[in-house]
Amino acid sequence: MAPLYGFHSLLPGVSWSDAGTNQILFDMAADLKVQSLRVLWNRRFMQPGLQQFDWRVADDNVLKATEQGLLLAPTVHLGNNRRTTWFGARDTSETYGPIERTSTSEPPADLTESWSSEVGYSASIYYFFRELLVRYGARFPYLAVGSEPNSIWFWRGTVGEYIRTLETVHKAKMDANVSTVILDGGIASEAWGVHIGREVLLRGVLPDAYVAEQVRGYYQTTVHAEEFSILTDGDIVAKLKFDAELIDAYDWQEDYLAQVISLSGTEALNFHYYESPEYLGDLIHYLQWKLKRAGTRETKSLVCHELGVKSQNPAYNEEGDEQAIELEVKVEIARLRGLELISWFGVTGADRDRGFKALHSSTGTPFEAAGAYRDYIESHTAS
């Protein structure tokens, strides 16, 4: 099956509730000739009460997408009680400490531990997603529930709370009778190097020195490059084996992967990736191995809803042709390994005179990378 090529954009100064200025986003997506557009929607703008909905922004997005011949693949942030009290989260300060930054998604206050045949684990989540999918499901090939839940910036809750929320969305999809694939939020890209490194060490299948070098290489083009470059192989191995914070993160992510994969409603496993192209194939192989061990390799697929360039490499020039090459290599690897959805993340539109500017880069990625993605899609999209 040919992959669905997507694109994501954040526009400076544009509120998620500001429908009027979002036309720029759709124009850029059309210029790149993508098939789908990843949009960020926040439930707090769309659900003023338990069974009360305001679809104006979503209607505008769907109308613009339809006019441009685009499908939408939304990522829906669930919200929190510091912004909208009626569906607010539980008080998590005792578990997670003082609030330093509001998370984009938190467990809803009505989330229970007992399954209801009518509304799953949360009435507020169920009603919202059921109505959303009844209204728009035909335009959504994919929908992600939050983003990067292994990061407290995006999910202030436990694995169990996220899984119960996700399972409730699965029920809403079934009751809406749509074919939309419900995606998990996807583990953040920077987590994978040390995660896989620790698992390989624990299994004892490769020499310690080789594992250390692979971990060092994984972070070679990121903000963590200097940290790992000054560590010896022994230091990295010790960090992977004994660092308490790293172990806690590893255990959280292992629990998360196991539970997401085991859900009957999971049709695809989502991941995000920004690091060197050299390690993308290894990560895809690792996740496919996870699916195979769970006996679901033939029934559940992989998608990358956030594929991009986040390099701190000062040698990358201002015109962006090196970033363009890196992006094209990553997309090709993902295509060859059978991913069904590849969404490039993405451009801000801040440099509209010269073209595009990418996120997660100190100087941005101008038109070259955007152009490379467009040219790639034109030559690889099935007619």
Side-chain angles (χ1 to χ4, degrees):
M1 185 172 101
L4 181 68
Y5 292 102
F7 164 80
H8 172 81
S9 174
L10 285 177
L11 300 175
V14 176
S15 166
W16 285 322
S17 63
D18 187 351
T21 55
N22 280 346
Q23 184 65 52
I24 303 166
L25 184 157
F26 292 90
D27 289 343
M28 288 193 296
D31 185 55
L32 288 177
K33 297 181 173 61
V34 296
Q35 300 151 307
S36 70
L37 181 65
R38 183 189 182 202
V39 291
L40 295 182
W41 285 349
N42 196 313
R43 188 167 64 107
R44 70 186 176 92
F45 291 131
M46 304 164 76
Q47 190 180 16
L50 181 62
Q51 295 194 62
Q52 300 172 18
F53 308 102
D54 182 348
W55 302 118
R56 286 175 293 177
V57 172
D59 282 348
D60 181 77
N61 282 187
V62 172
L63 175 62
K64 286 183 169 63
T66 302
E67 291 173 345
Q68 299 282 21
L70 295 165
L71 297 170
L72 291 179
T75 292
V76 180
H77 292 310
L78 305 181
N80 56 74
N81 66 348
R82 277 163 295 284
R83 292 287 184 90
T84 306
T85 57
W86 80 262
F87 64 74
R90 298 165 179 166
D91 182 2
T92 55
S93 57
E94 183 176 343
T95 304
Y96 295 101
I99 305 295
E100 295 182 358
R101 170 177 166 161
T102 300
S103 299
T104 58
S105 296
E106 298 184 356
D110 66 349
L111 188 71
T112 68
E113 299 203 10
S114 300
W115 176 261
S116 162
S117 60
E118 295 183 357
V119 296
Y121 292 106
S122 165
S124 64
I125 291 293
Y126 172 80
Y127 288 131
F128 174 77
F129 281 97
R130 186 192 66 185
E131 294 306 309
L132 182 74
L133 290 165
V134 165
R135 191 176 183 90
Y136 307 117
R139 300 298 305 173
F140 296 171
Y142 297 89
L143 181 147
V145 180
S147 180
E148 299 183 356
N150 63 310
S151 168
I152 200 170
W153 292 46
F154 295 108
W155 175 252
R156 195 175 177 88
T158 66
V159 172
E161 288 168 332
Y162 181 84
I163 295 299
R164 294 199 299 277
T165 302
L166 181 62
E167 194 167 3
T168 300
V169 179
H170 287 165
K171 173 176 171 51
K173 173 245 174 112
M174 293 297 295
D175 291 352
N177 193 29
V178 295
S179 60
T180 304
V181 175
I182 303 301
L183 301 176
D184 65 288
I187 288 178
S189 178
E190 63 184 23
W192 292 115
V194 292
H195 185 98
I196 297 175
R198 175 171 168 77
E199 179 152 348
V200 172
L201 279 181
L202 293 177
R203 292 183 176 277
V205 295
L206 291 170
D208 287 2
Y210 178 81
V211 175
E213 186 57 33
Q214 291 295 102
V215 170
R216 189 182 290 113
Y218 185 87
Y219 296 105
Q220 65 186 326
T221 62
T222 74
V223 69
H224 301 288
E226 183 176 358
E227 171 191 351
F228 283 95
S229 68
I230 62 177
L231 294 177
T232 66
D233 289 355
D235 291 335
I236 293 176
V237 169
K239 182 179 181 70
L240 295 174
K241 287 184 175 180
F242 305 117
D243 184 282
E245 185 175 350
L246 188 152
I247 293 171
D248 285 345
Y250 173 86
D251 291 344
W252 197 103
Q253 289 152 193
E254 279 293 289
D255 189 15
Y256 172 88
L257 285 171
Q259 293 202 53
V260 169
I261 291 171
S262 70
L263 288 179
S264 60
T266 297
E267 298 176 73
L269 182 64
N270 181 24
F271 72 96
H272 296 172
Y273 192 80
Y274 289 97
E275 277 67 37
S276 169
E278 181 180 355
Y279 299 93
L280 176 56
D282 292 338
L283 174 55
I284 293 173
H285 176 78
Y286 173 78
L287 293 174
Q288 289 174 336
W289 173 74
K290 286 283 191 184
L291 293 173
K292 183 176 181 180
R293 290 192 72 217
T296 59
R297 177 70 182 89
E298 301 303 317
T299 59
K300 301 186 179 186
S301 59
L302 287 180
V303 305
C304 188
H305 207 18
E306 198 165 305
L307 180 69
V309 178
K310 189 164 57 175
S311 177
Q312 305 299 312
N313 186 350
Y316 271 3
N317 70 1
E318 187 177 342
E319 297 307 316
D321 53 341
E322 288 98 338
Q323 292 99 314
I325 293 170
E326 178 179 326
L327 176 65
E328 187 167 344
V329 170
K330 287 176 178 176
V331 175
E332 177 69 358
I333 291 170
R335 182 187 72 85
L336 291 174
R337 297 304 292 266
L339 269 67
E340 294 185 359
L341 171 72
I342 303 167
S343 296
W344 178 39
F345 190 97
V347 310
T348 66
D351 195 8
R352 298 183 188 115
D353 291 339
R354 292 171 50 210
F356 301 91
K357 211 167 203 179
L359 302 170
H360 290 317
S361 174
S362 59
T363 59
T365 303
F367 185 73
E368 291 292 340
Y373 190 49
R374 180 188 58 219
D375 293 344
Y376 188 94
I377 293 169
E378 287 181 328
S379 61
H380 288 83
T381 300
S383 57

